[in-house]
Amino acid sequence: MSLSAVLLAAGSSPSPSPSETPTAPAVPSLQDAQESATDAAGWIEQNWSTWLAIGLRVLLIVVIAAVLRVAVRRAITKLIDRMNRSVQAVDGTALGGLLVNVERRRQRSQAIGSVLRSVASFLILGTAALMILGTFEINLAPLLASAGVAGVAIGFGARNLVTDFLSGVFMILEDQYGVGDTIDAGVASGEVIEVGLRVTKLRGDNGEIWYVRNGEVKRIGNLSQGWATAGVDVTVRSGEDLDKVKRTLNEVAEKMSKEEPWNELLWGPIEVLGLDSVLLDSMVVRVSAKTAPGKSLTVERELRWRIKHAFDAADIPIVGGTALPAEPEAEDRTAALAPPSVHANTESPQAQAATPLTPPSPTR
């Protein structure tokens, strides 16, 4: 029996092979660490100039963008302040200077300044961001293409919002109306209490507040710019003395023009324009006056009141309209009725009329 057979019989196991022996983790030596540090230092030494150049370029772009943004915003603010300080007449006359509303001018200038500052900041910061990305050698073509597609999608989805915003910008820039104006916007009418880039607030005649989107306004009638016209039609008989009518109206106009507060509301003389129409039984005399904007109805009411008093004093009747038909007198149905005492008397005509007739006797 060989020696190996004896060992196997005794229960001893053979020694493991070299491939099956576990190996301990390799510990880097000092020389390996030195070589790694040398490689890193060499890589940093080769690229530090590029990093420094990129950092300086980014810093320069940021500084220039910040300085330019501050300068542009400050210039816009000074321009808006100058607009607030300068009060110019609408048509170069003293009358036009009275139309300038401080709150309207302030809100209009603030809205214009806000739009200009936002646009300037968006352009400057957006350009700076693209330049910084270009400094890092990032391909901007896919980014710009994606931004273009996203812009088109947002434009289609929010077209009403964009329409309202652009309409509001042009309304403010063109000074179509402002705070305090009375306008007719088609969808609603009333006094403007706030002008925004998207919505305009109106207060109606009954106190309600209308929120009108600027994109929905197709036409605007401004009743507060320039001046208004107060017109009154006076209808008299066709046979009335026209000279007397005109003289009475001129006296009313002259007296009203000298009294307060009508002398401030009237921006021109009250004129008797003449006959507006002549009919068979009446004629219409037209009276007109130029008034402050929005005060035409007040002047018309006062003018009618004074004309009525003056015509009554001058014995000039005012006619017009359809005359009401005379109401027929109500028939008293109880007039033909007699009291019960009359029917109690058998000799009274009522009792005899109520007596049944005697049938005639038959003849043979």
Side-chain angles (χ1 to χ4, degrees), residues 67 165 224 246:
V67 172
F165 180 81
S224 300
K246 186 175 182 180

Side-chain angles (χ1 to χ4, degrees), residues 160-181:
N160 292 333
L161 181 62
V162 175
T163 302
D164 297 340
F165 180 81
L166 294 179
S167 300
V169 170
F170 282 106
M171 286 179 182
I172 293 175
L173 291 177
E174 297 173 0
D175 195 16
Q176 297 179 6
Y177 56 83
V179 175
D181 288 351

Side-chain angles (χ1 to χ4, degrees), residues 4 27 37 123 132-133 153 185 198 205 229 266 292 326 347:
S4 60
V27 179
L123 293 178
I132 291 174
L133 294 177
R198 194 182 69 86
D205 297 334
T229 302
L266 291 171
E347 296 181 357

